[in-house]
Amino acid sequence: MELYRATIPGEPVPKGRPRLGRNGRTYTPAKTIKWEKEASWALRENVPASGLDQPLELHVDVYCSRPKSHSRKRRAAREAKSTKPDGDNFLKAVCDALEKSGVVVNDSRIWSMSVRKWWCGEDDEPRVDVKLLVAD
């Protein structure tokens, strides 16, 4: 049973690797922090009254802009994206945004995850579609 569905508009950003600063401390790249903040605001629009606190399945579809090097014919249709960045890095960013927005109490409650990466078609906009289901 579907519990939650939302769309995060804009170019998807995968979770960046922690960086080491001059002071010896690690930090998350600014681009990742900015995207997670914007994503959490987008996810808050449909947030349940209290955060979901049960075993959940997460399904994510990531739609990335096409590079200009793709031919016009190739750009017309949606196509599976099998290049970097890795799908699990998109999942990490979405899970963090779900938790920050209050949709889920803790992202450890998500026991099953799937991600599909797509190149946008002619009529698509870059975005991330998120769906949460009750775990069977």
Side-chain angles (χ1 to χ4, degrees), residues 10-65:
E11 191 64 40
V13 175
K15 183 81 171 184
R17 291 198 171 158
R19 306 284 184 211
L20 189 61
R22 290 183 190 169
N23 59 3
R25 292 186 180 170
T26 58
Y27 66 94
T28 302
K31 187 175 180 181
T32 301
I33 293 172
K34 182 180 182 226
W35 187 86
E36 284 178 1
K37 187 175 184 179
E38 291 170 0
S40 68
W41 279 106
L43 294 170
R44 282 187 184 134
E45 291 181 15
N46 305 343
V47 73
S50 61
L52 301 172
D53 191 19
Q54 62 202 63
L56 301 166
E57 289 182 34
L58 173 64
H59 299 279
V60 176
D61 282 310
V62 179
Y63 297 88
C64 299
S65 296

Side-chain angles (χ1 to χ4, degrees), residues 42-96:
L43 294 170
R44 282 187 184 134
E45 291 181 15
N46 305 343
V47 73
S50 61
L52 301 172
D53 191 19
Q54 62 202 63
L56 301 166
E57 289 182 34
L58 173 64
H59 299 279
V60 176
D61 282 310
V62 179
Y63 297 88
C64 299
S65 296
R66 292 243 185 204
K68 293 185 186 213
S69 61
H70 285 193
S71 68
R72 181 174 288 147
K73 183 179 177 183
R74 188 173 174 196
R75 278 186 265 161
R78 183 181 301 162
E79 181 183 2
K81 180 182 187 305
S82 60
T83 60
K84 288 186 177 188
D86 298 344
D88 62 330
N89 292 329
F90 286 113
L91 277 174
K92 290 175 201 169
V94 169
C95 286
D96 287 349

